[in-house]
Amino acid sequence: MITAARRSGLLCALTATAAALLPAAPAHAAPPHSPGLRFGACPDSVPDPQGPDRVECGELSVPLDRGSPDGRHIRLAVSRVPASGTAGERRGVLLVNPGGPGGSGLPYAVTKRAKLPESVRRAYDVIGFDPRGTGRSAPADCGPMGGLFDAPGEDPVPMDPAAERAHLDTLRRTADDCATGVGAALPHLSTTETARDMDALRAALGERRISYLGVSYGTYLGAAYAARFPHRVDRMVLDSVVGPEDWYDFDLRQARALLRQRDTFFGWTAAHAERFGLGATATAVRAAYQRARDTLAARPVNGFGAAAFDRTVYRALGRTERWTALADGIRAYLRTGDVRLLRPAEPFDGAASRTYEAANRTVKCADGPGPTPARVVTGLRRLRGLDPQPVLTGVEASVCAYWHHRPAHRTALGSPAAPPVLLVASDHDPVTPVAGARAMQRRLPGSRLVTLHDDYSHGVFASRGNACVDGAAAAYLVGGTVPSADVHCTGPGLPTP
């Protein structure tokens, strides 16, 4: 644990210590000609930027199977917001990815860019894209996914051998549905193939090298690009880092971190007992939480049962600004039976959600060997040993135990030939635990880790509003300033409801 005094001595050490400079890329007076990629109007899903900036969209054709370049092609949806600075300030393109796997990146060029420091907006054309299998880029379709979208769905936490067998059967049916729906594309919707698509996009944009900002799964994608195309990397920020491990191992690590985060949430709610009325101790709040879940499992409300409750909890635990709504939702349900505050704003069975869930599992299972069914059961039992009521919403890679295409090799991540990368992490992020950032740093020699201490949320750079983090990342992206040592920033602590 870093003490407050030590943190203050290390905060934003960029100005107090020597820093290395990456070579500057040549400035361009305007975005270069884009052979094979014509930009025009965007679909309605892409918001308009604020102010004088503009967004434009296009499509890039790439082979589905690069082993058969003359075979079936798919079209990748691409968006671009040009740099707002002068010709002398512009230094290239910044590809961005919001995470997942399964997240649509097309609108992200607008939404993420709006939060970036002005110096970054002035320097880069921000490029968003839907990775293959997501959004408008040959979206994956797994149909019913073993009943995932049923309302109410089955309780996702199997508590006895019979329930474990039923859980495995659900995984098998999900894998069968994906094989039927995705078909011949199943082996080709992988992170490695998306990294190749990124390089095709680089070439189509007329750039010798690209800079990149990836969040969550986007860090895994960035590390895969650095492994395959290290000489094409200019500057790369990996924020909220997925560790370099099998997806199933990562999912289990996340599930354990979520248990710790939920305990923190129980204690925080108890500390504000007058505000929430769920109990004055963490034990009392946990009992209220369990009472709500048990009752919803037994008697769902308008299709909202245990599975939907767990999805709400999973989403809320990752960002502390959602904790108040979660506590209020539990209280409202226990007092009145009303689940409106617990329901997501977007329907879970909507088209975007169906594509996301299908792409998530398809990409994870295409990235490397999956677990065996026996290992899935062992993992479940170990999580229940840690806590009798774990949150299993994020353990998507368990379906890979029955996947119809089982790759022999894992996705390659990182390279000593890549230039120094800036990694960013929150030290209590339960979605991508900080240990993953430290492990990925070892795959990228010379890279630096910026840690936001006393923070409990997922997504840091241009997200948490922390001047220390944002300043370090902007100095790196714009000026090429690589800190001489890892950077430690002070976070906001737990929120006030």
Side-chain angles (χ1 to χ4, degrees), residues 53-77:
D53 297 324
R54 71 184 191 279
V55 60
E56 49 198 6
C57 295
E59 291 185 332
L60 178 68
S61 178
V62 296
L64 173 65
D65 179 1
R66 284 186 166 79
S68 301
D70 296 326
R72 176 187 168 190
H73 276 55
I74 58 175
R75 303 191 71 81
L76 304 178

Side-chain angles (χ1 to χ4, degrees), residues 17-68:
T17 58
L21 292 179
L22 289 172
H28 300 280
H33 175 62
S34 303
L37 180 59
R38 294 182 178 179
F39 286 98
C42 289
D44 292 341
S45 60
V46 179
D48 290 327
Q50 299 295 315
D53 297 324
R54 71 184 191 279
V55 60
E56 49 198 6
C57 295
E59 291 185 332
L60 178 68
S61 178
V62 296
L64 173 65
D65 179 1
R66 284 186 166 79
S68 301

Side-chain angles (χ1 to χ4, degrees), residues 37 65 88 95 101 112 129 147 160 168 196 203 207 264 271 274 293 296 308 310 326 336 348 355 366 443 493:
L37 180 59
D65 179 1
L95 272 67
K112 185 63 177 181
F129 67 102
D160 56 45
L168 293 179
R196 290 170 169 162
E207 298 287 343
T264 302
E274 292 186 4
R293 190 189 188 280
L296 284 167
D310 282 2
L326 176 60
T336 69
F348 178 64
T355 297
R443 298 284 186 98

Side-chain angles (χ1 to χ4, degrees), residues 266-280 494-497:
F266 291 153
W268 173 83
T269 305
H272 301 283
E274 292 186 4
R275 166 66 175 79
F276 296 116
L278 293 176
L494 294 174
T496 299

Side-chain angles (χ1 to χ4, degrees), residues 145-394:
M145 295 190 71
L148 179 67
F149 302 105
D150 291 350
E154 295 294 326
D155 191 321
V157 182
M159 303 302 290
D160 56 45
E164 289 169 353
R165 290 191 294 271
H167 179 72
L168 293 179
D169 183 63
T170 297
L171 296 178
R172 185 193 299 275
R173 289 187 288 115
T174 302
D176 290 346
D177 288 342
C178 287
T180 298
V182 180
L186 203 67
H188 306 297
L189 302 186
S190 67
T191 299
T192 296
E193 288 305 316
T194 297
R196 290 170 169 162
D197 292 341
M198 285 172 56
D199 203 57
L201 179 55
R202 173 202 59 77
L205 291 169
E207 298 287 343
R208 184 169 62 90
R209 293 184 296 168
I210 57 172
S211 293
Y212 178 80
L213 167 61
V215 181
S216 197
Y217 163 73
T219 66
Y220 191 91
L221 175 58
Y225 186 83
R228 184 163 290 273
F229 304 104
H231 58 294
R232 297 297 189 188
V233 176
D234 186 8
R235 294 166 192 176
M236 180 175 285
V237 175
L238 305 181
D239 178 8
S240 302
V241 183
V242 175
E245 55 195 332
D246 289 340
W247 275 116
Y248 184 68
D249 289 333
F250 168 79
D251 288 353
L252 293 180
R253 182 190 295 275
Q254 181 190 89
R256 293 190 294 269
L258 285 167
L259 292 178
R260 295 190 294 271
Q261 185 86 330
R262 192 177 62 181
D263 286 343
T264 302
F265 167 76
F266 291 153
W268 173 83
T269 305
H272 301 283
E274 292 186 4
R275 166 66 175 79
F276 296 116
L278 293 176
T281 67
T283 299
V285 174
R286 182 191 175 94
Y289 169 98
Q290 193 64 51
R291 187 164 64 254
R293 190 189 188 280
D294 288 346
T295 307
L296 284 167
R299 295 186 299 277
V301 177
N302 297 326
F304 191 93
F309 180 84
D310 282 2
R311 286 193 295 268
T312 295
V313 170
Y314 177 85
R315 179 179 182 274
L317 289 179
R319 297 292 297 247
T320 54
E321 59 264 35
R322 297 170 182 161
W323 288 14
T324 293
L326 176 60
D328 283 344
I330 293 171
R331 180 188 61 196
Y333 169 70
L334 289 174
R335 290 184 177 180
T336 69
D338 189 344
V339 298
R340 283 178 295 178
L341 291 178
L342 293 172
R343 285 188 181 276
E346 297 293 331
F348 178 64
D349 62 350
S353 181
R354 286 178 176 271
T355 297
Y356 178 92
E357 299 295 341
N360 180 283
R361 288 152 179 82
T362 301
V363 172
K364 284 188 172 184
C365 295
D367 277 351
T372 63
R375 187 160 179 245
V376 170
V377 172
T378 298
L380 289 170
R381 292 176 178 176
R382 287 178 176 171
L383 286 172
R384 292 203 313 263
L386 293 173
D387 190 290
Q389 191 65 69
V391 179
L392 302 181
T393 301

